[in-house]
Amino acid sequence: MKVLIIGSGGREHAIAWKLSKEDDIEKIYVSPGNGGTALENKCENISLNSNKDLIEFAKKEKIDFTIVGPEEPLINGIVDDFKSKGLKIFGPDKKGAALEGSKAYAKEFMEKYEIKTAKYKTFINLKEGLKYLEETEYPIVIKADGIAAGKGVIICRDKESGKDTLRDFMEKDIFKGAGKKVVIEEFLEGVEASILTVTDGKTIIPFISAKDHKQVYDGDRGPNTGGMGVICPNPYVTEEVMKEFKEKIMNPTLKGLKIENINFIGNIFFGIMITKKGVYLLEYNVRMGDPETEAILPLMRTNLSTIIINSLEENLENITIEWEKEASINVMLCSEGYPKSYKKGKIIEINPIDTGKIFISGAILKDNKLVTSGGRVLSLTVKNKNFNYAREECYENINKIKFNGVYFRKDIGKKVNN
Ligand code: AMP
Ligand code: GLY
């Protein structure tokens, strides 16, 4: 089979790497890809900008199926465009992708299908929002309705910061439209988990659980990033938590999709909060996580192509996904300054590593050298039967990767050690 992957991050590199090891896969095109996908077996980067060009390419090359990595093209309707031309594509259509594209819509959906989530109110009027902030309890969480490059969620400790945030979103319009509508919701205290799933609209299967580390500094301090590292499985996702997640969140979501006639074929990534009062759904993502995917796929024994094909054929009911009996850790190496401003164009020097897999996030191949091109540059995933060994080996080998201004968290998965 020939496949086309859309995206340019570590997640797409991990997807390409996993598929490249599968016998059924003959050729993998990645648009635009990065310096990692450029070097992977069976892979070739192509650079096509419009859906029209991608569709033409998929037809011409007789691509068997296309996988969409990031949320933007899904929210903008790439799946609808491919399907209208009779092409196979893995991911939700525009209607399904709105579960990530609009937080207000996602909350309405959760409420309608009695999915356990934080109490909330939606506002489109600044005055009414400010009035609500006078009366409510703190801390409170303010969320821009649309996608805001991961910066649209602010936890406000007091009335003043709440009002400032609301004005930034609704009046100053810092997210260029995405914050004109806001969700204000109850603050939940607990530990977070990322649970990725795959669905064909009839059946939904959870992947192994994962734990992201969102804040930039050790000890979960500093601003939120796309993710600084992941451990897998998530030690807080006990059997009991998984059972509650399935009953109160995952299964009612599938039921809702069916009733709403949303023909969802793809991944739903549930961001959950495990609290003393049980498991709550924070958000839906309609794609795989990054760097969750880099930690999860190395543990997946089943062929990813088998899972995708059976999803596209609405046959997931007959599939079981097998996992290695191991744990993994992924640590992200960033450019100093990320998630704010950072320098690009630094040459990356990689001495041979003893174990693990390097996934490229933001680096390109220039004159046969890897050069930084993004805030999150690359990550290393190591797996082992014993999580503590995996962690030690990961941090030892990271020191073999060097570039000017490299920064990474030193405490990924540390709590598990204690
Ligand atoms: P979201 O994009 O909705 O997942 O929000 C981004 C991050 O904000 C989450 O990963 C949490 O760390 C935090 N967050 C979101 N909603 C809440 C909430 N209701 N209570 C506490 N923290 C939250
Ligand atoms: N790592 C979080 C995300 O992919 O949204």
Side-chain angles (χ1 to χ4, degrees):
M1 285 183 293
K2 283 173 155 185
V3 302
L4 169 63
I5 301 173
I6 294 167
S8 64
R11 165 184 48 211
E12 289 75 27
H13 183 187
I15 294 169
W17 163 81
K18 170 78 176 148
L19 290 172
S20 75
K21 297 190 300 167
E22 299 175 2
D23 291 340
D24 290 348
I25 303 293
E26 176 197 327
K27 180 84 192 174
I28 302 159
Y29 293 101
V30 194
S31 177
N34 62 31
T37 53
L39 294 172
E40 214 58 71
N41 200 9
K42 304 182 192 173
C43 283
E44 186 179 330
N45 287 349
I46 53 167
S47 189
L48 299 170
N49 292 318
S50 67
N51 289 357
K52 189 171 158 276
D53 289 350
L54 288 161
I55 285 168
E56 251 168 47
F57 178 84
K59 277 189 173 165
K60 192 172 96 237
E61 292 298 326
K62 298 199 167 48
I63 297 294
D64 290 280
F65 60 87
T66 297
I67 306 170
V68 189
E71 62 276 19
E72 288 95 333
L74 294 167
I75 292 166
N76 293 332
I78 192 170
V79 170
D80 310 61
D81 289 356
F82 267 65
K83 276 189 181 165
S84 73
K85 302 288 182 229
L87 293 167
K88 285 196 179 134
I89 183 162
F90 181 72
D93 60 15
K94 212 170 180 175
K95 209 169 153 195
L99 285 174
E100 179 165 0
S102 165
K103 293 213 186 273
Y105 169 69
K107 293 293 282 192
E108 276 163 34
F109 181 94
M110 293 176 210
E111 194 172 39
K112 187 166 174 189
Y113 295 101
E114 297 177 353
I115 293 160
K116 201 163 159 185
T117 189
K119 290 196 199 83
Y120 79 103
K121 279 190 187 305
T122 301
F123 294 93
I124 45 166
N125 178 298
L126 176 65
K127 239 183 175 172
E128 283 173 20
L130 290 172
K131 183 164 170 274
Y132 178 72
L133 290 176
E134 282 289 340
E135 303 153 1
T136 192
E137 282 172 29
Y138 289 85
I140 196 114
V141 187
I142 303 185
K143 301 184 172 188
D145 178 56
I147 49 167
K151 294 177 185 147
V153 176
I154 307 282
I155 294 164
C156 302
R157 303 273 156 202
D158 52 42
K159 207 185 287 181
E160 290 323 304
S161 67
K163 286 181 168 179
D164 286 347
T165 301
L166 205 63
R167 285 196 189 97
D168 283 349
F169 283 21
M170 299 183 87
E171 200 171 53
K172 290 190 192 151
D173 194 19
I174 59 169
F175 299 128
K176 309 225 175 343
K180 283 283 190 190
K181 195 190 239 185
V182 297
V183 168
I184 304 185
E185 75 176 34
E186 170 196 12
F187 174 78
L188 298 173
E189 194 136 27
V191 283
E192 281 180 65
S194 303
I195 304 188
L196 277 62
T197 65
V198 61
T199 182
D200 60 2
K202 293 179 174 160
T203 304
I204 186 163
I205 308 175
F207 285 0
I208 195 166
S209 64
K211 184 177 192 300
D212 194 5
H213 295 68
K214 285 204 166 111
Q215 293 87 354
V216 70
Y217 302 128
D218 284 17
D220 291 342
R221 288 175 302 111
N224 267 359
T225 68
M228 297 295 291
V230 166
I231 60 169
C232 186
N234 184 324
Y236 297 97
V237 180
T238 57
E239 257 176 53
E240 199 185 330
V241 166
M242 200 62 178
K243 185 165 175 277
E244 192 181 335
F245 161 73
K246 285 182 186 168
E247 277 171 15
K248 302 226 167 104
I249 296 173
M250 188 183 83
N251 294 338
T253 296
L254 182 63
K255 185 178 156 204
L257 292 175
K258 286 180 187 167
I259 296 172
E260 300 287 318
N261 261 323
I262 301 174
N263 184 18
F264 200 119
I265 293 181
N267 296 109
I268 306 181
F269 156 6
F270 296 81
I272 63 166
M273 185 75 93
I274 305 160
T275 76
K276 287 197 180 113
K277 290 192 288 180
V279 182
Y280 286 73
L281 179 60
L282 288 180
E283 63 163 352
Y284 289 115
N285 296 300
V286 296
R287 50 170 174 88
M288 292 202 235
D290 193 346
E292 283 87 345
T293 306
E294 292 94 304
I296 289 173
L297 290 185
L299 297 178
M300 185 185 271
R301 288 178 73 167
T302 308
N303 280 350
L304 183 59
S305 55
T306 307
I307 296 172
I308 291 174
I309 285 165
N310 281 282
S311 302
L312 291 166
E313 288 172 356
E314 298 181 22
N315 188 39
L316 269 187
E317 192 187 5
N318 296 313
I319 290 288
T320 344
I321 304 179
E322 306 279 352
W323 300 95
E324 302 288 354
K325 301 265 176 296
E326 288 180 301
S328 69
I329 175 168
N330 170 276
V331 178
M332 186 65 73
L333 277 65
C334 300
S335 308
E336 198 176 7
Y338 171 78
K340 299 204 174 106
S341 65
Y342 52 84
K343 295 207 172 80
K344 297 180 187 175
K346 306 288 175 199
I347 292 173
I348 305 168
E349 193 192 314
I350 304 177
N351 290 306
I353 53 168
D354 307 322
T355 182
K357 171 70 193 169
I358 293 171
F359 293 112
I360 303 296
S361 298
I364 50 168
L365 208 56
K366 209 172 160 187
D367 303 328
N368 272 329
K369 284 202 169 96
L370 275 173
V371 175
T372 69
S373 63
R376 293 195 294 176
V377 173
L378 57 88
S379 64
L380 176 65
T381 299
V382 176
K383 57 180 182 173
N384 197 297
K385 284 199 168 59
N386 178 320
F387 174 77
N388 290 334
Y389 289 158
R391 185 170 189 275
E392 270 169 37
E393 286 175 344
C394 186
Y395 276 105
E396 266 168 34
N397 281 284
I398 271 180
N399 292 319
K400 297 175 182 165
I401 307 168
K402 296 195 169 80
F403 56 89
N404 210 318
V406 59
Y407 168 79
F408 56 92
R409 271 181 67 163
K410 313 286 183 299
D411 68 339
I412 304 300
K414 193 171 176 187
K415 277 182 201 139
V416 188
N417 256 357
N418 297 334

